[in-house]
Amino acid sequence: MRAVETALVTHGHADHARSGHQRVYATPETLAIMDLRYATHDAGCPVAYGEVFHLGPVSISYHPAGHVLGSAQIRLEYNDETVVVTGDYKRRSDPTCAPFEVVPCDIFITEATFALPVFYHPPTQDELQKVLDTLKTNAESCVLIGAYALGKAQRVISELRAMGYDKPIFLHGALAKMCTLYEQFGVDLGELIAVSDAQKTDMQGHIVMCPPSALNDRWSRRLPDPITAMASGWMRVRQRARQRNVELPIILSDHADWTELTDTICEVNPREVWVTHGREEALVHWCGLRQISAKALRLVGRETEDDG
Amino acid sequence: MEEFAKLIDRLIYTRSRNQKLDLIAAYLRDTPDPHRGWALAALTGDLEFPNAKISAVRTAANERLDPLLFKLSRDFVGDTAETVALIWEARPQPKDAETGPISVGDLVEQLHNVARKDAPALFAQLLDRHDPDGRYALIKLATGAMRIGISARLAKTAFAQAFSLNVDDVEEVWHALQPPFLPLFDWGEGKTHKPDISDAACFRPFMLAHPLEEEAVDMAEYVVEWKWDGIRVQIVGTRDDVRLFSRGGDDITAAFPDIAENFDAIGVVDGELLVRGDAQGDANTQGSAASFNALQQRLGRKKVSAKMLREAPAFVRLYDILFDGKNDVRALPWSERRPLLDRFQPKLQQGRFDLSKIIAVDDFEQLRLVREGSRDAAIEGVMLKKRDSPYIAGRKAGYWYKWKRDPLNADCVMMYAQRGSGKRSSLYSDFTFGCWNEDGELLPVGKAYSGFTDEELKWLDKFVRQNTVNRFGPVREVEKTLVLEVAFDSIHSSKRHKSGLAMRFPRISRIRKDKPAQEADIIATLRNMID
């Protein structure tokens, strides 16, 4: 991905938002996230959900994608033809962002991170209940949850709070700034404490969160007998979980699972589906089976697996 | 099935050995017969269904699912059982059909009885009745490849723990019993005595030796034998059968027909399995054995070629006798067992079985000299056996000692490092090291992951992280600056490695922060250490 004059950005994840553009159209939340991550203060043009603006002959509007704070689908209209670019999205409820909106269109460009029938994300609360149950039976340990720094971490905390978990949650340094940003946008995350400010014994029987890369690293040695958990859609596959030495897999994703992807295509009912970012072949094949015109759109800069 | 599926699911994600044991033990205690016995057999790898193979699962999947979506999913997941478990599209069952999870016992019965052509349909029907965890567990049980990090030994240990038995006692009767092991559970629950296995050609746990650490022992109480470098083997002869077992209880009869066919006696003996040659021992000792490397060529084979039998003929150097005929003589002292062995050996084919020589040693000082000479004689060391020791399972302090010759040493340079597993998964603890060739190039000569203290390991881990020059997946290549003093029992030529050398039991003996890498040893020096 190269820097351009005008960029339309769906959300703040690194594979969708890069620095260096001259003008960036994005939601205020996404612009704040990009500022925090890149500290470039690009010429940001804030766009509110639903607001229509024009670039030359194209009229453009942003609509909630339900992926992370500020995430948007972008609707482009030109000569009576409309295209919707989903960016990344999900259909499940998420207390940290506005829910996905079905936007009718001619061409629907969908993500495909979990576009295989093996991917099914169980109810969020059932997955997080596993964490609370584990804490109950392991008073001497902590549960260390690996979660992506933007979106996943805050969603996990927020969902836990909604389930009535009100004890402090301990954070790896890499998660702190983004949590503060979420709180500035009105997402209440309850009491958060930096691991570096805590004693080992303080964390016994508590939840500690870190980015996935820190799960098996030296950093975790300062924790009281951690039980390794990871919140990701990839945890659906046992062998993946085992490869990462995960003891407590939490199947929880900010992406649509197979059912959400296929249901959304049916609901949006576009003339044509373009598939990108993931397992294009399977979703294109599925469309073919249902006589929906579809093709793979190969883009550069695919996400890493931590972003699940 | 639900309980078994839950067990499998939890075992997959459990890293600690004790927790695995607790999980299996609780399942075995709480589950009724015969289900728990079949489940135990699944964990120990003792279940096989000739007509219910993974290919039948694949056929069922391709009939039920879109073949391309199945294939793409299979490619991603990397495991047919898990893929099918995750994406199976269950159909509502006909009214008269049984619904809901099946019991382990019923599952085993259906898998046993199914004809090959009916297996895909049976799998489809079974998969329809279960949720993803149940489907995963039933496919794994049916097709035998559990691959969940549970060894047979661990499962048996869990059984022993569940019923407060000694695992060696369990091991002893295990090989004579068949799944679902009803006599075993009856014994475990105290309903019957230990199962009688006197007529079966089954494995008995080995007696093992401690390394000699006390300064001296009273040589009036001990006898001395050479410690040969082959593999310990137990030969069991009954009226109709002969079996060879390795130390872990694996049946290796098929790999050594030259031994089994020539053992024509009833009894159980213990010895060292060796290959004929002249690498080990000399005229003054007993000799006529090849190096461990030569034996290694014959290990791990399901079938052995005529050429191999000719070029690397095996023989057994007998150490001990456990059963003389049908008499269990393990409770007798060594001093009474040895004469029995001396009388037993002539019944066997000469040339395939000889007796481990007793070395005449008067006192400990003399023993020290004998041991020091073992390097020259190319023998691994000496064994000390207490004259009054019974033959008992495992290591019992004070009875048998091994006293290996002093290790060889070489100064090597650390080249690559890899993280360990379990408790060491956050530490770089597996090191590949090398020595210089004539062209000034470092060639790997071995790999070690022990010998250092916890403090030293922390230091080594830090060194690796701060001196990484390259990453290859989990492996880090490091700056070639750190000299490690490596101790090893012996070194052999090997075609497998570029350096042409293979070490036996290498371990890190010292970290030589003081020594520049250029002054580490050269390959030629190591080559001169080959026996």
Side-chain angles (χ1 to χ4, degrees):
Chain A
M1 272 197 278
R2 60 197 161 81
V4 294
E5 198 174 306
T6 304
L8 307 182
V9 173
T10 56
H11 65 282
H13 279 143
D15 54 331
H16 295 262
R18 297 281 165 94
S19 61
H21 310 302
Q22 287 183 30
R23 231 183 356 265
V24 175
Y25 289 88
T27 61
E29 295 89 344
T30 300
L31 289 173
I33 290 164
M34 288 175 74
D35 272 353
L36 178 67
R37 294 197 136 184
Y38 303 125
T40 53
H41 305 285
D42 293 331
C45 309
V47 183
Y49 289 131
E51 169 195 339
V52 181
F53 65 100
H54 299 271
L55 282 177
V58 184
S59 58
I60 302 168
S61 55
Y62 281 42
H63 304 268
H67 175 58
V68 297
L69 179 71
S71 66
Q73 314 171 67
I74 303 177
R75 179 182 183 275
L76 306 160
E77 185 176 344
Y78 172 67
N79 271 354
D80 291 336
E81 185 167 67
T82 53
V83 178
V84 166
V85 182
T86 63
D88 291 333
Y89 72 95
K90 69 170 174 290
R91 303 301 302 272
R92 279 156 214 271
S93 80
D94 179 343
T96 67
C97 66
F100 180 94
E101 184 184 313
V102 173
V103 182
C105 59
D106 299 302
I107 295 171
F108 185 61
I109 304 180
T110 180
E111 66 135 319
T113 308
F114 289 116
L116 280 176
V118 291
F119 291 110
Y120 163 76
H121 309 327
T124 309
Q125 299 212 338
D126 293 358
E127 291 301 296
L128 291 175
Q129 190 60 46
K130 293 198 284 190
V131 176
L132 301 182
D133 293 345
T134 305
L135 283 176
K136 258 179 241 157
T137 46
N138 294 276
E140 308 284 297
S141 308
C142 66
V143 174
L144 174 63
I145 307 179
Y148 196 58
L150 166 54
K152 184 71 60 62
Q154 297 77 20
R155 178 173 171 215
V156 167
I157 297 170
S158 198
E159 294 277 10
L160 285 166
R161 297 304 187 208
M163 291 167 75
Y165 184 79
D166 53 9
K167 290 193 197 171
I169 291 175
F170 294 84
L171 293 188
H172 183 280
L175 303 182
K177 279 184 184 168
M178 199 57 76
C179 287
T180 308
L181 184 144
Y182 263 62
E183 285 174 319
Q184 284 161 4
F185 279 95
V187 179
D188 183 14
L189 298 178
E191 188 185 354
L192 304 177
I193 299 175
V195 168
S196 52
D197 293 342
Q199 299 297 314
K200 208 170 195 172
T201 48
D202 298 345
M203 297 184 274
Q204 285 181 333
H206 284 76
I207 294 171
V208 181
M209 298 191 63
C210 68
S213 57
L215 278 179
N216 292 308
D217 205 22
R218 280 180 300 177
W219 172 82
S220 63
R221 285 182 222 157
R222 71 190 68 191
L223 304 177
D225 192 15
I227 296 163
T228 309
M230 177 150 157
S232 164
W234 303 111
M235 293 298 106
R236 172 78 167 155
V237 178
R238 288 182 169 85
Q239 297 302 339
R240 290 285 164 131
R242 284 191 71 190
Q243 276 163 14
R244 302 201 68 138
N245 279 329
V246 169
E247 296 163 290
L248 179 62
I250 305 167
I251 308 169
L252 192 154
S253 178
D254 287 330
H255 294 271
D257 68 11
W258 175 253
T259 317
E260 292 170 62
L261 289 168
T262 52
D263 285 356
T264 302
I265 291 172
C266 294
E267 227 177 309
V268 172
N269 193 22
R271 197 184 70 222
E272 208 172 305
V273 177
W274 295 357
V275 185
T276 184
H277 268 74
R279 272 136 266 286
E280 294 88 350
E281 194 181 354
L283 199 54
V284 169
H285 177 72
W286 179 87
C287 290
L289 292 174
R290 276 154 194 78
Q291 269 96 48
I292 301 168
S293 170
K295 67 178 177 191
L297 177 65
R298 301 205 183 272
L299 291 182
V300 291
R302 288 250 302 260
E303 76 277 37
T304 64
E305 288 216 345
D306 285 349
D307 171 20
Chain B
M1 198 67 216
E2 284 160 303
E3 290 307 313
F4 181 67
K6 211 180 282 170
L7 172 70
I8 297 303
D9 195 55
R10 294 193 61 186
L11 286 176
I12 284 176
Y13 297 118
T14 302
R15 274 189 289 182
S16 132
R17 180 184 143 88
N18 283 339
Q19 279 175 28
K20 286 179 186 176
L21 288 173
D22 288 347
L23 287 169
I24 302 171
Y27 173 87
L28 294 176
R29 266 195 309 266
D30 299 345
T31 309
D33 289 323
H35 311 295
R36 57 185 175 180
W38 294 117
L40 182 58
L43 293 176
T44 55
D46 286 309
L47 270 190
E48 213 191 326
F49 307 104
N51 291 335
K53 297 287 181 198
I54 194 73
S55 58
V57 177
R58 217 175 289 128
T59 306
N62 276 314
E63 281 168 9
R64 177 69 59 92
L65 309 163
D66 178 78
L68 182 64
L69 289 178
F70 172 49
K71 181 189 175 297
L72 292 170
S73 299
R74 163 72 183 74
D75 291 349
F76 177 82
V77 173
D79 176 78
T80 301
E82 175 154 27
T83 311
V84 173
L86 290 175
I87 68 175
W88 186 256
E89 292 164 11
R91 279 189 194 147
Q93 296 299 293
K95 263 199 192 118
D96 54 340
E98 287 190 56
T99 55
I102 190 171
S103 72
V104 174
D106 287 350
L107 174 66
V108 167
E109 196 186 320
Q110 295 195 20
L111 292 168
H112 263 308
N113 295 336
V114 72
R116 183 160 297 209
K117 65 174 174 40
D118 300 331
L122 174 64
F123 273 118
Q125 184 213 333
L126 289 168
L127 292 168
D128 278 341
R129 292 172 61 176
H130 293 86
D131 68 1
D133 287 350
R135 296 198 284 253
Y136 181 77
L138 89 83
I139 298 172
K140 287 288 178 188
L141 182 143
T143 59
M146 299 294 283
R147 283 211 218 120
I148 53 171
I150 306 292
S151 68
R153 176 75 180 180
L154 187 83
K156 290 171 199 168
T157 307
F159 174 86
Q161 184 182 312
F163 300 104
S164 308
L165 297 168
N166 181 323
V167 64
D168 290 317
D169 290 342
V170 174
E171 195 77 75
E172 173 155 348
V173 296
W174 183 270
H175 296 267
L177 301 175
Q178 299 297 322
F181 307 118
L182 298 180
L184 197 64
F185 284 97
D186 284 348
W187 171 45
E189 290 182 336
K191 292 179 193 159
T192 57
H193 290 292
K194 188 169 167 183
D196 177 21
I197 53 162
S198 53
D199 278 328
C202 59
F203 172 72
R204 271 82 175 185
F206 277 95
M207 179 157 180
L208 304 172
H210 269 287
L212 185 69
E213 276 159 6
E214 292 151 59
E215 245 329 271
V217 297
D218 179 1
M219 290 316 295
E221 291 181 14
Y222 286 84
V223 289
V224 182
E225 291 172 81
W226 296 113
K227 183 177 188 322
W228 300 97
D229 191 15
I231 63 166
R232 281 284 289 286
V233 66
Q234 180 177 103
I235 310 164
V236 183
T238 63
R239 214 185 45 185
D240 328 292
D241 202 5
V242 176
R243 299 269 136 201
L244 264 71
F245 297 103
S246 70
R247 227 180 76 175
D250 293 324
D251 187 333
I252 54 166
T253 316
F256 295 94
D258 40 351
I259 300 297
E261 284 162 12
N262 288 305
F263 189 92
D264 187 19
I266 295 175
V268 180
V269 292
D270 173 349
E272 195 84 9
L273 182 61
L274 296 156
V275 161
R276 281 280 170 224
D278 51 15
Q280 294 189 50
D282 59 16
N284 298 323
T285 57
Q286 194 168 9
S288 59
S291 74
F292 181 78
N293 258 33
L295 175 66
Q296 209 168 26
Q297 313 291 323
R298 289 201 49 181
L299 291 173
R301 285 172 191 273
K302 281 198 177 150
K303 264 181 122 174
V304 56
S305 68
K307 181 166 173 265
M308 198 147 260
L309 286 174
R310 207 168 48 241
E311 288 178 359
F315 72 102
V316 175
R317 188 149 284 164
L318 298 171
Y319 290 141
D320 214 321
I321 186 162
L322 290 72
F323 282 72
D324 186 16
K326 288 178 109 179
N327 295 328
D328 186 347
V329 297
R330 286 176 292 178
L332 298 179
W334 178 90
S335 55
E336 288 179 38
R337 289 199 312 277
R338 178 66 194 219
L340 294 175
L341 181 66
D342 290 343
R343 283 200 293 277
F344 191 85
Q345 184 261 345
K347 295 185 205 164
L348 306 170
Q349 159 112 39
Q350 303 305 299
R352 292 291 181 182
F353 303 91
D354 61 17
L355 287 162
S356 168
K357 201 174 126 181
I358 307 292
I359 311 167
V361 175
D362 297 332
D363 54 33
F364 202 76
E365 272 319 299
Q366 197 190 347
L367 178 67
R368 225 183 269 281
L369 293 174
V370 166
R371 171 181 170 267
E372 273 162 25
S374 65
R375 168 72 59 193
D376 295 331
I379 295 176
E380 218 189 342
V382 291
M383 296 290 303
L384 281 77
K385 294 179 180 171
K386 201 155 187 251
R387 289 175 191 274
D388 65 2
S389 66
Y391 191 101
I392 43 178
R395 283 187 181 84
K396 168 102 173 145
Y399 280 158
W400 286 11
Y401 290 109
K402 53 185 171 191
W403 197 15
K404 285 192 184 184
R405 61 191 181 187
D406 287 330
L408 297 164
N409 282 299
D411 286 335
C412 307
V413 181
M414 189 199 287
M415 300 178 71
Y416 305 97
Q418 212 173 338
R419 287 192 209 200
S421 57
K423 274 194 170 161
R424 283 189 179 173
S425 59
S426 75
L427 292 158
Y428 284 89
S429 60
D430 300 7
F431 308 104
T432 302
F433 42 81
C435 288
W436 304 102
N437 70 4
E438 291 98 10
D439 303 327
E441 201 185 340
L442 264 184
L443 295 181
V445 294
K447 200 173 172 181
Y449 37 83
S450 65
F452 33 72
T453 63
D454 287 353
E455 279 310 303
E456 285 173 321
L457 176 57
K458 268 189 194 161
W459 189 90
L460 288 164
D461 175 70
K462 199 168 153 204
F463 173 84
V464 171
R465 289 169 195 274
Q466 290 175 349
N467 292 278
T468 301
V469 293
N470 241 323
R471 292 173 192 226
F472 310 96
V475 177
R476 289 194 186 206
E477 182 179 1
V478 296
E479 207 78 62
K480 313 297 181 307
T481 54
L482 182 66
V483 176
L484 301 171
E485 184 183 295
V486 177
F488 48 96
D489 284 5
S490 61
I491 189 161
H492 304 276
S493 51
S494 156
K495 285 178 200 139
R496 273 195 221 166
H497 304 93
K498 202 178 164 192
S499 62
L501 296 168
M503 289 177 174
R504 281 279 277 163
F505 302 126
R507 61 264 182 193
I508 311 270
S509 56
R510 269 200 298 171
I511 306 172
R512 295 293 305 267
K513 299 177 203 174
D514 55 313
K515 195 161 190 173
Q518 278 67 31
E519 290 174 24
D521 279 315
I522 58 170
I523 300 272
T525 310
L526 270 66
R527 196 165 293 128
N528 284 335
M529 297 180 185
I530 296 176
D531 287 336

